[in-house]
Amino acid sequence: MFFGIDAGGTKLQFAAGIGKEVFAGEKVATPGSYGQFLDSAEEQFLKLEERFGEKITEIGIGLPGTFTAEKIVWVPNIAYLEGCDLAGDLRSRFGVEVFIGNDAQLALIGEVWKGVGRGCSNAILMSIGTGIGGAIMIDGKVVRGRRGAAGAFGWVNLDAGVRGDKNHGYLEANASGSAIGVAGLQQHPPLTSYEIVEKAREGEEFGVKVMKRAGHLLGAGLASIASILDTEMIILSGGLSKEIDTFQDSMIASFKEYTAPGVEQVPIVTSKLGNLSGAYGAVRMAQVGGDLWTG
């Protein structure tokens, strides 16, 4: 049996893989310290072994950041992991092999394995939530990059006249859920990103304007990425992708306007597995290890 963990800034999603089947485990709040993180993983590990009556032989973990085989380098939403040898510490606890992958890359693996991307060997995933991340698959292999961070689509720059920000790339700063929230704070009274989305659905002018701009920028960013990679499919995931009805028209129009000839026909679809895509990908990584990546 294989154990998958999708670790985010607020939640940990667990899953088990047995044969060709994947079973969702519990979703729990992300612990507040490294020791509690290890304890939570151990608790769920033992629960799944008891639930299915099988021993776990490998573990796959998805993290929103960068890392090497020996240590976690940068995970801003779970900062206490930085500098830790998470894989080594879990190996010591459980006596099984442990693999770590980027969460967006694992979400793409999950979607191509069991979700909307089945059958694709060239695909892009853009995760649009609080921030913007992504992943790239070429000829059936996910591109990891030198530091494990390939697919950082939030850093796509659509305006060289704007000063750079080391913490937030242009697309993330202007078209993510956080960017929509910032626009809302400038109103009187202030609006949350959720309220802006609802106002857009109601046809209210400000809400429509904000979501239309976000869609335009996302479409232009995706056009650049798809034109460079000549992909088969673009998959959107993350919290904002669930609100696609509020920005889809402007996104598609922008995508078709800015793509290279022929690329405008690439389908843009939303995740089928939703919040479980990363956990599915973590299970798949536990099953096959390094065979999923280029290089």
Side-chain angles (χ1 to χ4, degrees):
M1 182 167 68
F2 304 96
F3 184 35
I5 307 172
D6 181 25
T10 59
K11 300 290 183 183
L12 305 182
Q13 175 67 61
F14 300 92
I18 303 174
K20 295 182 179 180
E21 298 297 320
V22 180
F23 302 91
E26 293 183 22
K27 179 190 288 185
V28 303
T30 301
S33 70
Y34 185 54
Q36 291 172 337
F37 186 99
L38 296 176
D39 290 343
S40 182
E42 181 173 4
E43 179 183 358
Q44 298 300 321
F45 181 101
L46 296 174
K47 280 186 176 181
L48 287 171
E49 285 194 331
E50 181 179 2
R51 174 180 168 185
F52 294 105
E54 294 194 23
K55 291 293 184 182
I56 290 170
T57 57
E58 281 90 18
I59 299 173
I61 306 173
L63 296 174
T66 59
F67 37 81
T68 67
E70 292 78 29
K71 68 177 182 178
I72 310 301
V73 177
W74 181 70
V75 185
N77 291 330
I78 321 176
Y80 59 73
L81 292 178
E82 293 175 6
C84 295
D85 181 9
L86 177 60
D89 290 337
L90 289 176
R91 286 189 196 103
S92 297
R93 284 208 180 200
F94 303 127
V96 301
E97 187 57 80
V98 179
F99 302 95
I100 297 180
N102 174 272
D103 61 341
Q105 293 172 9
L106 292 183
L108 176 55
I109 289 167
E111 289 292 341
V112 169
W113 181 39
K114 294 286 189 181
V116 71
R118 278 190 177 190
C120 276
S121 57
N122 292 275
I124 292 166
L125 179 138
M126 179 180 280
S127 176
I128 316 165
T130 303
I132 293 179
I136 303 161
M137 177 175 283
I138 298 176
D139 296 335
K141 301 279 189 177
V142 172
V143 180
R144 175 173 271 170
R146 174 65 179 84
R147 299 167 186 81
F153 298 149
W155 266 259
V156 170
N157 187 8
L158 301 175
D159 186 348
V162 175
R163 286 184 62 87
D165 181 338
K166 293 297 183 183
N167 295 312
H168 304 284
Y170 178 89
L171 194 61
E172 179 171 292
N174 287 275
S176 65
S178 294
I180 293 168
V182 169
L185 290 176
Q186 298 170 5
Q187 297 302 294
H188 302 286
L191 300 171
T192 68
S193 58
Y194 301 101
E195 289 171 328
I196 291 175
V197 167
E198 286 309 309
K199 286 185 176 295
R201 288 200 174 104
E202 294 165 0
E204 192 274 337
E205 183 179 1
F206 176 74
V208 170
K209 180 180 178 181
V210 171
M211 299 311 296
K212 184 176 181 179
R213 179 176 186 271
H216 178 81
L217 293 174
L218 290 169
L222 287 170
S224 296
I225 297 163
S227 296
I228 292 168
L229 297 174
D230 189 24
T231 191
E232 293 176 64
M233 176 183 288
I234 297 169
I235 303 168
L236 302 182
S237 69
L240 197 58
S241 71
K242 298 174 184 176
E243 321 297 347
I244 191 170
D245 59 296
T246 64
F247 63 86
Q248 184 171 27
D249 289 347
S250 61
M251 178 184 69
I252 296 297
S254 177
F255 179 77
K256 290 185 174 182
E257 179 179 356
Y258 294 112
T259 48
V263 181
E264 71 273 6
Q265 301 303 320
V266 173
I268 302 177
V269 300
T270 55
S271 165
K272 179 181 178 181
L273 299 176
N275 294 336
L276 291 174
S277 58
Y280 272 62
V283 167
R284 186 61 173 161
M285 178 172 60
Q287 289 181 336
V288 301
D291 290 343
L292 295 166
W293 280 273
T294 57

